[in-house]
Amino acid sequence: MPRDPKHDILFEPIQIGPKTLRNRFWQVPHCIGAGSEKPGAQAGHRAMKAEGGWAVVCTEYCSINPESDDTHRVSARIWDEGDVINLGHLCDECHKWGALVGIEMWYGGAHAPCMETRCVPRGPGSYASEFEYLSYCHEADEDDIRALTNMYVEAAKRAARAGFDIVYVYGAHSYLPLQFLSKFYNKRTDKYGGSLENRARFWIETLEAVRKAVGDSCAVVTRFSIDTLYGSAGIEVHDDGFKFIELVTKEGLTDLWDVNIGDIAEWGEDAAPSRFQKAGHERPWIKEVKKIAKVPVLGVSRATSPDDMAEFIHSGYLDIIGAARPSISDPFLPKKIEEGRVEDIRECIGCNVCISRWEIGGPPLVCTQNATSMEEYRRGWHPEKFDKTEDPCSVLVVGAGPAGMECARILGERGYDVHLREAEAEIGGHISYVQRYPGLAEWGRVITYRQIQLDKLKNVEVHAGVGKMTADDVLTYGADKVVIAVGSHWATDGTASVTHEPIPGADASLPYLCTPEQIMLENKPVGDRVVVIDADGYFTGVSLSELLADQGKKVTIVTQLGGVAPYTHFTLEAPNLHRMMHAKNIHAHTSHWVEEIANGKVTIYNTYRDSYKRTTEPKTGESPHRAGTEVELLECDTVVLVTARIPNAELFTELKARKAEWEKNEIKAIYHIGDCYAPRMIADCIFDGHRLAREFESPDPQHPLPFIRERQIWGRETYPELASA
Amino acid sequence: MPRDPKHDILFEPIQIGPKTLRNRFWQVPHCIGAGSEKPGAQAGHRAMKAEGGWAVVCTEYCSINPESDDTHRVSARIWDEGDVINLGHLCDECHKWGALVGIEMWYGGAHAPCMETRCVPRGPGSYASEFEYLSYCHEADEDDIRALTNMYVEAAKRAARAGFDIVYVYGAHSYLPLQFLSKFYNKRTDKYGGSLENRARFWIETLEAVRKAVGDSCAVVTRFSIDTLYGSAGIEVHDDGFKFIELVTKEGLTDLWDVNIGDIAEWGEDAAPSRFQKAGHERPWIKEVKKIAKVPVLGVSRATSPDDMAEFIHSGYLDIIGAARPSISDPFLPKKIEEGRVEDIRECIGCNVCISRWEIGGPPLVCTQNATSMEEYRRGWHPEKFDKTEDPCSVLVVGAGPAGMECARILGERGYDVHLREAEAEIGGHISYVQRYPGLAEWGRVITYRQIQLDKLKNVEVHAGVGKMTADDVLTYGADKVVIAVGSHWATDGTASVTHEPIPGADASLPYLCTPEQIMLENKPVGDRVVVIDADGYFTGVSLSELLADQGKKVTIVTQLGGVAPYTHFTLEAPNLHRMMHAKNIHAHTSHWVEEIANGKVTIYNTYRDSYKRTTEPKTGESPHRAGTEVELLECDTVVLVTARIPNAELFTELKARKAEWEKNEIKAIYHIGDCYAPRMIADCIFDGHRLAREFESPDPQHPLPFIRERQIWGRETYPELASA
């Protein structure tokens, strides 16, 4: 199918300094956990986007010197010739597909804790980071400032040698150039502080020096937070923001503006979760920049709709579509638009689990929508290509939640004869109600993408609304192989990891107790005063709390954890979730757990109530939990139990117990995946279904095959046959 | 000097199954951040202890299968032949020094989040981890249980092939074997659940299978939490603890008991910080085991006194001195006892910053006392050997805090003519008062160790009580080179990273405001109701709060952070600090900051008071902080400012400004180190002084030399000349 002409503008080449982009799709720098230490994973992930049609792909933030070491987080690094080789591999692999490659040169100032190198970063003053509370930078004198500029220059030279086409001087997210520019950090009284011209001097000098160093071999671009959202204490678009752009423009020092908003301590204002912002939320700022800039303007918007993207450019908001998360969710987004296959775009849901892994520090990125993310090299997975099976047997997939839908989709792509059967009227599993939590509507794309793809696969039949299958149903269905993916449910008795026992008095069959499903699927009545008991720590407890508060109820959260929904810190949802709780009067008892529930009241205790010198000698038979002491009563009408997820394991267990009957029913194998195997995040369930389908002919498909582990082998070359798990 | 005969018992060989230990010093498994991916660092660190006289050195916890992946934390792994090579290097390097090498075979069950491998761990039931709140294990059926046992067997075979002498089946810290054993987790009703015999079955079968697999090539030992400190809900010494030991003893299945207490969620009850426990705090439990065990018993005790160690063995508490932290602080502890150099032992201070880096996930271990930890391979540092300088010039070190003391010590060891000058009457810098915070007395060992070593160095003169040196004093002192190490002080105006500005009304010259120094060094009066403003997040704010509460004052902490003293979570101090706060009635306003201070009151606000949908359009000139709205008043008599540390930078700044005068005063160079360069943790200041002294002849000693970075280089062998920063 040909491309829709209204999208033509997205495929017009554009000039960036000495380089020409083949179209308007630019994968902005984003973290993946590979850095420069895992060159295969790094190149595999980025080159997939080059193949998918992106004009430009970039590294994540790339440290220019050991003084800027973000360990425990994983950045790329261009410190030495080893890094030149490893990042050079990335450049080579992307160039093969006709993409340009950018490097985001990063120096963190106080925000870089330097836990690996043990160096000390320099900055415009001596201050602690508001992001890394124990990290201070050293106040640079003029010799230090020259040294810092020279670090960018030397890094840029190495980058050019590695084959990069575009070098960024990275000043967004409150990193070094912005620390000089912003009054929030810069209190100097010399020629690098005071007036805007003085505060801009470091950035300007660095851009000049980098440009001189790379000449025409690279485009020189800058990434700038046009508004740090501190009001007049920091950068504002119509004040220092515009003035800085004018200064740089006058000197012709950047070939492009990559513009965003916010800082690093709350960078969820930039990489905004869909819970709080729709696609394009930075447009009001970016269009201001476009009015005065003399070079192309790039902005991110988490846009996944080509109509929106074309409209952004037509309307003069920006010139180039920057994307991080949409490029992870679908590396082939440009190609699909180009080929007129818009309905095949696997749209980002804005859940930010990708970001969560960087924030945690260390693990490879995962994506809820795209199970092949970061598996391109180590498992050899391509998001759009599938090995056809040589044995297209029939497969029954029981349950069309995230794991079942994805497994059926991939088995279908691979040529199996698939029946996907779902008890409920619609496919989607628990996403069908999760998408009704406040702000989570876009999470429904997990279903819609798969619905569309399943509809296209002639060899996949989807049977929804068929009711629960029994073991007998499965055994006599007539399938060669079976995949059980029947999900999990919330505990009805308050069982949680805190005590690994039920909560006394908790029983969701009683009228004053509810599970999430009872509220979302069964409309069980909820009273005016609600206590939500949340041992889970992710989105369910806080989402239900907001939903009930929006209904006018007075909600109190009790959690054993040190904060409400701590995983949302990693997804960048936490600050605005806390603001929401403040605005909606949702109170929390953190580090508390429940001793007992009765009609009308919940008895809670501080988990730190017992003596702080616990371990002086054995106290046999004495519980450290002194039941009944120092408790607090919460009066309420309804208690919501968000305590533990229980796998729906009965079906598989019965089927396995009746293994003797498989043969006579001509069943060769039965597997179980997703939450019914073990409850986990949506991304991991989708991965599980995907993986099983990819490895369906392996000797033991229930358990993953080894993957390539990138590491040094002592005294050896890195033999691929050794480097696998 | 010969060894003291009363320590002879520590050097008696002892038999462990088929292996003979040369003495009673056993480095128990502990994390270092190297795992099996950084073989040089791993071998370098452990072999230093082999050289230092330890009879046994062990890996950290070593995963036996990708299903047990602790990423984001760093464990060792023995998954494949690459790991066999890398860990084999560790064995080879340790064997050269006559030590035996142990591997701690680890499978985490629900506690393993598997963020790298994306596998799912199995366990005795389906439950979430109380340590990793979003990680669930899959309930193993009998096939799974056989598979799990087989993972230990295959790992043990690989371990034997790598050259390990001792294989651990690791069941302490609530990992898999203990999850089967303990009623806290195990609710099974089959032959692996219910009675003690049934719950012990997995562990027993695994020990049997491992023993059969390795034969006499390795000793088989087990590590067991004899009391999980849950009272009767878990393991107790006189109940399941004893019964399990009897069962294993009857079958002769372990060659040694490595015994400890506690679980993983609060493993600070085992690796107890000195703040809460003295050395040997687990003895009351271990001696119980010794009464019934038929094989040698090993226990940790963080003992650093050889008299105590000998007494532990003589008294029948245990047979072998297990040590993790003391072996990090001083790898040569056994050798120093053997050589009668007890006063040279660099004693562990129990601050647990070593552990903090594992908890953070990723960075290499650091040690406050031993700056060479984890630098053995990558920087080539030996804790007891120093390159003699070829140019023994005179060096003036100004300031005898942690950085200055350490720098003078290493310069002295290297043969320089050193004058260490301290303004105050005693050396030690801020440690002189930090050691007076409740529970931190052992931190004073930072001073005492260095005092003793400096006294021994004939070429180092220590001049204490000489008052502050001016720039004139330094310039005319007559030294060839100068090192400025004059520390930092707490801000007197409330400046903190929250706003990077002073707090209105904060002025420590007023009678109702105090800095930590004013309280600890100047005895400034503190009233009955105290507000401690803590933006620091580590030990100072909470320690001062406890000290003042112990004086009968009512203390309230205000912090912008999400919890009080969050860094103490990583040092394992947090749970008991929270218990202390609960017991001593110290309240906290977390996620709050200060709008204004006046005599008798502090105005605070919730940092989340502003709208939760902040970024819809530019709001020029409007601060998101709506001053004066939604504030809370705290009434108090005294406000303590723990907001930011300000480097004492004036001396170096003046000296640098007067660089023209250096030559005529025959000064070749002036450096600055420690907190006066940039405030940081004590460990990093000591490192800084140590590093400068090690690299004193480098082209630019102020900044670190490159070090070896262990990583894969794409398509190449790992050329050492590439692998450096």
Side-chain angles (χ1 to χ4, degrees):
Chain A
M1 208 172 123
R3 169 172 94 211
D4 188 328
K6 73 180 177 216
H7 302 152
D8 285 353
I9 197 168
L10 297 171
F11 294 90
E12 284 178 12
I14 188 169
Q15 192 76 14
I16 304 295
K19 302 286 174 178
T20 305
L21 277 59
R22 58 181 168 182
N23 61 39
R24 303 302 179 93
F25 296 95
W26 180 302
Q27 179 244 284
V28 296
H30 72 79
C31 297
I32 59 175
S36 36
E37 333 288 273
K38 294 191 174 169
Q42 176 68 260
H45 182 77
R46 309 291 179 186
M48 193 60 76
K49 301 179 188 179
E51 182 184 347
W54 299 80
V56 174
V57 293
C58 298
T59 64
E60 58 269 63
Y61 68 143
C62 183
S63 170
I64 59 174
N65 188 278
E67 277 185 15
S68 185
D69 163 25
D70 216 24
T71 308
H72 65 114
R73 298 185 181 86
V74 177
S75 76
R77 295 162 167 181
I78 190 152
W79 296 349
D80 61 22
E81 292 309 306
D83 294 330
V84 170
I85 293 169
N86 281 0
L87 294 174
H89 174 58
L90 155 67
C91 294
D92 293 347
E93 291 299 301
C94 292
H95 286 155
K96 284 178 190 167
W97 297 102
L100 301 172
V101 193
I103 181 170
E104 185 180 46
M105 298 196 298
W106 169 73
Y107 188 102
H111 305 314
C114 291
M115 288 191 189
E116 179 176 344
T117 65
R118 309 195 74 175
C119 293
V120 181
R122 295 176 246 190
S126 173
Y127 47 81
S129 162
E130 68 280 9
F131 182 55
E132 284 282 345
Y133 53 92
L134 287 176
S135 294
Y136 286 75
C137 52
H138 170 70
E139 180 172 331
D141 64 20
E142 292 195 14
D143 290 337
D144 290 317
I145 288 174
R146 274 187 293 278
L148 288 165
T149 292
N150 196 49
M151 289 177 197
Y152 285 90
V153 166
E154 292 302 317
K157 289 182 191 166
R158 286 191 291 270
R161 212 155 59 234
F164 285 99
D165 306 287
I166 297 159
V167 295
Y168 268 91
V169 174
Y170 177 27
H173 301 123
S174 294
Y175 290 128
L176 186 68
L178 193 129
Q179 289 172 45
F180 271 94
L181 186 70
S182 172
K183 298 186 293 286
F184 188 66
Y185 301 99
N186 185 342
K187 319 288 180 189
R188 300 175 74 97
T189 54
D190 67 356
K191 70 179 186 181
Y192 289 94
S195 68
L196 184 274
E197 288 68 23
N198 281 359
R199 283 181 278 119
R201 192 177 310 280
F202 172 73
W203 202 331
I204 299 263
E205 286 178 351
T206 300
L207 281 166
E208 277 171 345
V210 167
R211 180 168 289 279
K212 193 172 157 204
V214 298
D216 277 347
S217 64
C218 301
V220 177
V221 305
T222 204
R223 199 177 198 188
F224 175 39
S225 297
I226 190 76
D227 196 321
T228 49
L229 308 176
Y230 305 132
S232 57
I235 307 290
E236 290 181 300
V237 56
H238 293 124
D239 186 9
D240 286 349
F242 269 15
K243 288 180 194 159
F244 177 67
I245 290 179
E246 281 163 359
L247 265 181
V248 174
T249 301
K250 197 173 68 190
E251 308 287 340
L253 289 174
T254 188
D255 294 325
L256 167 132
W257 288 106
D258 178 347
V259 181
N260 70 0
I261 59 170
D263 64 349
I264 188 62
E266 281 202 28
W267 73 285
E269 297 296 325
D270 173 32
S274 59
R275 181 190 285 276
F276 295 111
Q277 299 291 352
K278 300 279 164 245
H281 82 286
E282 298 185 48
R283 256 185 309 151
W285 285 267
I286 297 165
K287 71 177 182 188
E288 295 296 298
V289 177
K290 182 74 185 115
K291 288 177 188 164
I292 61 162
K294 299 265 165 59
V295 292
V297 173
L298 159 74
V300 291
S301 59
R302 205 171 54 76
T304 51
S305 149
D307 291 358
D308 286 355
M309 296 176 195
E311 166 64 15
F312 291 171
I313 298 177
H314 278 302
S315 308
Y317 287 138
L318 42 69
D319 303 290
I320 299 168
I321 304 296
R325 290 170 290 169
S327 77
I328 300 164
S329 185
D330 197 339
F332 279 67
L333 189 146
K335 196 138 269 179
K336 288 175 181 175
I337 299 171
E338 191 169 22
E339 294 173 356
R341 299 194 292 121
V342 169
E343 77 284 2
D344 288 338
I345 295 172
R346 195 165 43 245
E347 291 181 283
C348 170
I349 70 169
C351 67
N352 282 8
V353 296
C354 50
I355 289 164
S356 73
R357 298 305 161 109
W358 176 76
E359 283 281 345
I360 287 170
L365 168 154
V366 299
C367 174
T368 299
Q369 283 281 61
N370 178 9
T372 70
S373 278
M374 299 312 293
E375 306 297 350
E376 302 89 351
Y377 172 74
R378 68 175 192 172
R379 285 188 163 100
W381 290 357
H382 189 293
E384 305 295 325
K385 293 181 185 166
F386 308 90
D387 292 336
K388 291 288 170 196
T389 179
E390 291 169 8
D391 171 26
C393 65
S394 64
V395 186
L396 166 65
V397 179
V398 185
M405 288 190 294
E406 181 75 354
C407 189
R409 178 175 84 87
I410 305 304
L411 289 171
E413 294 281 8
R414 299 200 53 219
Y416 284 97
D417 171 22
V418 182
H419 284 205
L420 172 62
R421 289 178 67 85
E422 166 60 38
E424 303 298 326
E426 304 286 342
I427 68 169
H430 70 298
I431 309 294
S432 65
Y433 70 85
V434 164
Q435 65 181 331
R436 290 191 279 115
Y437 287 143
L440 301 192
E442 286 191 28
W443 292 30
R445 294 172 174 178
V446 167
I447 307 174
T448 48
Y449 167 71
R450 285 170 184 79
Q451 179 82 64
I452 291 166
Q453 297 304 307
L454 290 167
D455 286 350
K456 286 189 167 190
L457 288 160
K458 303 282 175 255
N459 50 326
V460 179
E461 288 182 28
V462 180
H463 308 153
V466 297
K468 275 198 181 177
M469 292 189 86
T470 64
D472 284 329
D473 294 339
V474 171
L475 288 170
T476 59
Y477 191 79
D480 297 317
K481 295 184 179 178
V482 179
V483 180
I484 306 296
V486 293
S488 65
H489 62 276
W490 287 98
T492 58
D493 62 0
T495 292
S497 62
V498 190
T499 62
H500 293 284
E501 291 286 349
I503 294 171
D507 175 355
S509 70
L510 295 169
Y512 54 90
L513 283 138
C514 291
T515 64
E517 294 98 335
Q518 288 176 335
I519 296 174
M520 300 304 293
L521 297 175
E522 299 169 20
N523 289 313
K524 185 165 177 176
V526 175
D528 288 339
R529 296 166 307 163
V530 183
V531 172
V532 175
I533 301 175
D534 181 10
D536 178 66
Y538 190 18
F539 63 86
T540 306
V542 72
S543 294
L544 271 170
S545 298
E546 183 175 7
L547 183 136
L548 295 171
D550 286 347
Q551 294 171 5
K553 301 181 193 307
K554 175 78 196 79
V555 181
T556 303
I557 299 174
V558 176
T559 179
Q560 85 283 13
L561 299 163
V564 172
Y567 200 82
T568 64
H569 169 75
F570 303 125
T571 60
L572 311 184
E573 292 164 289
N576 285 331
L577 272 174
H578 286 294
R579 290 191 181 91
M580 177 282 289
M581 288 173 59
H582 183 77
K584 298 187 180 179
N585 211 16
I586 298 169
H587 288 274
H589 295 267
T590 60
S591 302
H592 275 72
W593 195 238
V594 181
E595 195 157 285
E596 192 172 16
I597 299 171
N599 193 352
K601 63 173 190 255
V602 178
T603 312
I604 65 170
Y605 60 94
N606 184 316
T607 56
Y608 296 118
R609 68 180 168 185
D610 48 311
S611 163
Y612 73 99
K613 294 212 173 175
R614 296 169 69 194
T615 52
T616 50
E617 56 187 277
K619 292 174 192 159
T620 310
E622 188 178 307
S623 168
H625 297 292
R626 294 165 296 140
T629 61
E630 296 182 55
V631 296
E632 195 172 341
L633 292 184
L634 303 180
E635 298 195 346
C636 63
D637 304 302
T638 300
V639 178
V640 182
L641 298 170
V642 187
T643 59
R645 296 161 74 197
I646 310 296
N648 298 327
E650 303 75 16
L651 180 58
F652 180 86
T653 302
E654 182 178 348
L655 288 165
K656 184 154 179 192
R658 294 169 64 181
K659 198 163 185 177
E661 299 173 50
W662 295 10
E663 200 177 334
K664 80 167 180 226
N665 288 293
E666 295 179 42
I667 292 177
K668 296 199 192 85
I670 305 182
Y671 308 112
H672 43 160
I673 58 172
D675 286 339
C676 75
Y677 185 82
R680 60 207 114 144
M681 296 207 306
I682 302 163
D684 286 323
C685 287
I686 290 178
F687 173 85
D688 201 15
H690 192 108
R691 186 205 59 73
L692 184 79
R694 290 265 185 187
E695 299 177 352
F696 210 57
E697 307 81 14
S698 86
D700 178 16
Q702 184 65 56
H703 298 108
L705 288 170
F707 55 85
I708 297 174
R709 293 167 62 195
E710 292 188 83
R711 65 193 147 156
Q712 167 163 334
I713 302 291
W714 186 257
R716 312 284 174 110
E717 290 185 75
T718 49
Y719 298 109
E721 71 272 17
L722 298 179
S724 64
Chain B
M1 208 169 125
R3 171 172 91 211
D4 187 329
K6 74 182 177 216
H7 303 153
D8 284 352
I9 197 168
L10 298 171
F11 294 90
E12 283 178 12
I14 188 169
Q15 194 75 14
I16 304 295
K19 301 287 174 177
T20 305
L21 277 58
R22 59 180 166 182
N23 60 39
R24 303 302 179 92
F25 296 95
W26 180 301
Q27 180 244 286
V28 296
H30 71 81
C31 296
I32 58 174
S36 36
E37 333 289 272
K38 293 192 175 170
Q42 177 66 261
H45 182 78
R46 309 291 180 187
M48 193 61 76
K49 299 178 189 181
E51 183 184 346
W54 299 79
V56 174
V57 294
C58 298
T59 64
E60 58 270 63
Y61 68 142
C62 183
S63 170
I64 58 173
N65 188 277
E67 277 185 16
S68 185
D69 162 26
D70 216 24
T71 306
H72 66 112
R73 298 185 183 83
V74 177
S75 76
R77 296 162 167 181
I78 190 150
W79 297 349
D80 61 22
E81 292 309 306
D83 294 331
V84 170
I85 292 170
N86 281 359
L87 293 174
H89 173 59
L90 154 67
C91 294
D92 293 346
E93 291 298 302
C94 292
H95 286 155
K96 284 180 190 166
W97 297 102
L100 300 173
V101 193
I103 182 170
E104 185 180 45
M105 298 196 299
W106 170 74
Y107 188 101
H111 306 313
C114 291
M115 289 192 187
E116 179 175 343
T117 64
R118 309 195 73 175
C119 294
V120 180
R122 296 176 245 189
S126 174
Y127 46 81
S129 162
E130 68 279 10
F131 182 56
E132 285 280 345
Y133 53 94
L134 288 175
S135 294
Y136 286 74
C137 52
H138 170 70
E139 180 171 333
D141 64 19
E142 291 196 14
D143 290 337
D144 290 318
I145 288 174
R146 275 189 292 278
L148 288 166
T149 293
N150 196 48
M151 288 178 198
Y152 285 90
V153 166
E154 293 301 318
K157 287 183 191 165
R158 286 190 290 271
R161 212 154 61 236
F164 285 99
D165 307 286
I166 298 159
V167 295
Y168 269 88
V169 174
Y170 176 28
H173 301 123
S174 293
Y175 290 127
L176 186 68
L178 193 129
Q179 289 171 46
F180 271 94
L181 186 69
S182 172
K183 297 187 294 284
F184 188 66
Y185 302 98
N186 186 342
K187 321 285 181 189
R188 299 176 75 98
T189 54
D190 66 355
K191 69 178 187 183
Y192 290 94
S195 69
L196 184 274
E197 288 68 23
N198 282 359
R199 286 182 276 119
R201 192 177 311 279
F202 172 73
W203 202 331
I204 299 263
E205 286 179 351
T206 300
L207 281 166
E208 275 171 347
V210 166
R211 179 169 289 280
K212 192 172 159 205
V214 299
D216 278 346
S217 65
C218 302
V220 176
V221 305
T222 204
R223 199 178 196 188
F224 175 39
S225 297
I226 189 75
D227 196 319
T228 50
L229 307 177
Y230 305 130
S232 57
I235 308 290
E236 290 182 300
V237 56
H238 293 124
D239 186 9
D240 285 350
F242 269 13
K243 287 180 196 159
F244 178 67
I245 290 178
E246 281 161 1
L247 266 180
V248 174
T249 299
K250 196 173 69 189
E251 309 286 339
L253 288 173
T254 188
D255 294 325
L256 168 130
W257 287 106
D258 178 348
V259 181
N260 69 2
I261 59 171
D263 64 351
I264 188 63
E266 283 203 27
W267 72 284
E269 296 297 325
D270 174 33
S274 59
R275 182 190 285 277
F276 295 112
Q277 299 290 354
K278 299 280 164 245
H281 82 286
E282 298 185 48
R283 257 183 312 151
W285 285 267
I286 297 165
K287 72 177 182 189
E288 295 297 298
V289 177
K290 183 73 185 118
K291 288 177 189 165
I292 61 162
K294 298 263 165 62
V295 292
V297 173
L298 159 73
V300 292
S301 59
R302 206 172 53 76
T304 51
S305 149
D307 292 357
D308 285 355
M309 297 176 195
E311 167 64 15
F312 291 170
I313 298 177
H314 278 302
S315 308
Y317 287 137
L318 42 70
D319 302 290
I320 299 169
I321 304 298
R325 291 169 291 169
S327 77
I328 300 164
S329 185
D330 197 338
F332 278 68
L333 189 146
K335 197 138 268 182
K336 287 175 181 176
I337 299 170
E338 191 170 22
E339 294 174 356
R341 298 193 293 121
V342 169
E343 78 284 1
D344 287 338
I345 295 171
R346 198 167 38 249
E347 290 180 283
C348 170
I349 70 169
C351 67
N352 282 8
V353 297
C354 50
I355 289 164
S356 73
R357 298 305 162 110
W358 176 76
E359 284 280 344
I360 288 171
L365 167 155
V366 298
C367 174
T368 300
Q369 282 281 61
N370 178 9
T372 70
S373 279
M374 298 312 293
E375 306 297 349
E376 302 89 351
Y377 172 74
R378 69 174 191 171
R379 284 188 164 100
W381 291 356
H382 189 294
E384 306 294 325
K385 293 181 185 166
F386 307 91
D387 292 336
K388 289 291 169 193
T389 179
E390 290 169 7
D391 171 26
C393 64
S394 63
V395 185
L396 166 65
V397 179
V398 185
M405 287 190 294
E406 182 74 355
C407 189
R409 178 175 84 86
I410 306 304
L411 289 171
E413 294 281 7
R414 300 200 52 219
Y416 284 96
D417 171 22
V418 181
H419 284 206
L420 172 62
R421 289 176 67 85
E422 168 59 39
E424 304 298 325
E426 304 286 341
I427 69 170
H430 71 297
I431 308 295
S432 66
Y433 71 84
V434 164
Q435 65 182 328
R436 289 190 280 115
Y437 287 144
L440 301 192
E442 286 191 29
W443 292 29
R445 292 172 175 178
V446 167
I447 307 175
T448 47
Y449 167 71
R450 286 170 183 80
Q451 178 83 65
I452 291 165
Q453 297 304 307
L454 290 167
D455 286 350
K456 285 187 167 191
L457 288 161
K458 301 281 175 264
N459 50 328
V460 178
E461 288 181 29
V462 180
H463 307 151
V466 298
K468 276 197 180 175
M469 290 188 87
T470 64
D472 284 330
D473 294 339
V474 171
L475 289 169
T476 59
Y477 191 78
D480 296 318
K481 295 183 179 178
V482 179
V483 179
I484 306 296
V486 292
S488 65
H489 63 276
W490 287 97
T492 58
D493 61 1
T495 292
S497 62
V498 190
T499 61
H500 293 285
E501 291 286 348
I503 295 171
D507 176 355
S509 70
L510 295 169
Y512 55 89
L513 284 138
C514 292
T515 65
E517 293 98 335
Q518 288 176 334
I519 296 173
M520 299 303 293
L521 297 174
E522 299 169 19
N523 289 313
K524 188 166 176 175
V526 175
D528 288 339
R529 297 167 307 164
V530 182
V531 172
V532 174
I533 301 174
D534 181 11
D536 179 65
Y538 190 18
F539 62 87
T540 306
V542 73
S543 294
L544 271 170
S545 298
E546 183 175 7
L547 182 136
L548 295 171
D550 286 346
Q551 293 171 7
K553 301 181 194 307
K554 177 80 195 75
V555 180
T556 303
I557 298 174
V558 176
T559 179
Q560 86 282 13
L561 299 163
V564 171
Y567 199 82
T568 64
H569 169 74
F570 304 124
T571 60
L572 311 184
E573 293 165 287
N576 285 331
L577 273 174
H578 286 294
R579 291 191 180 90
M580 178 280 291
M581 287 173 58
H582 184 76
K584 298 186 180 178
N585 212 16
I586 298 170
H587 289 273
H589 295 266
T590 59
S591 301
H592 276 73
W593 194 238
V594 182
E595 194 156 285
E596 192 174 15
I597 298 171
N599 193 353
K601 64 173 190 259
V602 177
T603 312
I604 65 171
Y605 61 93
N606 185 316
T607 56
Y608 296 118
R609 68 180 168 184
D610 47 312
S611 163
Y612 73 100
K613 294 212 173 173
R614 296 169 70 194
T615 53
T616 50
E617 55 185 279
K619 293 174 192 159
T620 309
E622 188 179 305
S623 168
H625 297 292
R626 294 165 297 140
T629 61
E630 295 182 56
V631 295
E632 194 172 340
L633 291 185
L634 303 180
E635 297 196 347
C636 64
D637 303 303
T638 301
V639 178
V640 182
L641 299 170
V642 187
T643 58
R645 296 162 73 198
I646 310 296
N648 299 326
E650 302 76 14
L651 180 58
F652 180 85
T653 302
E654 183 179 347
L655 287 166
K656 184 156 179 193
R658 295 168 65 181
K659 199 163 183 176
E661 300 172 49
W662 294 11
E663 199 177 335
K664 80 167 180 226
N665 287 294
E666 293 177 44
I667 292 176
K668 296 196 193 86
I670 305 181
Y671 307 111
H672 44 161
I673 59 173
D675 287 339
C676 76
Y677 185 82
R680 61 206 113 146
M681 296 207 307
I682 302 163
D684 286 324
C685 286
I686 290 177
F687 172 84
D688 201 14
H690 193 108
R691 186 205 59 73
L692 184 79
R694 289 265 183 186
E695 300 178 353
F696 210 57
E697 308 80 13
S698 87
D700 178 16
Q702 184 65 56
H703 298 107
L705 287 171
F707 55 86
I708 297 173
R709 293 167 62 195
E710 292 188 82
R711 65 191 147 159
Q712 166 162 335
I713 302 292
W714 186 259
R716 312 285 175 111
E717 291 186 73
T718 49
Y719 298 109
E721 71 274 18
L722 299 180
S724 63

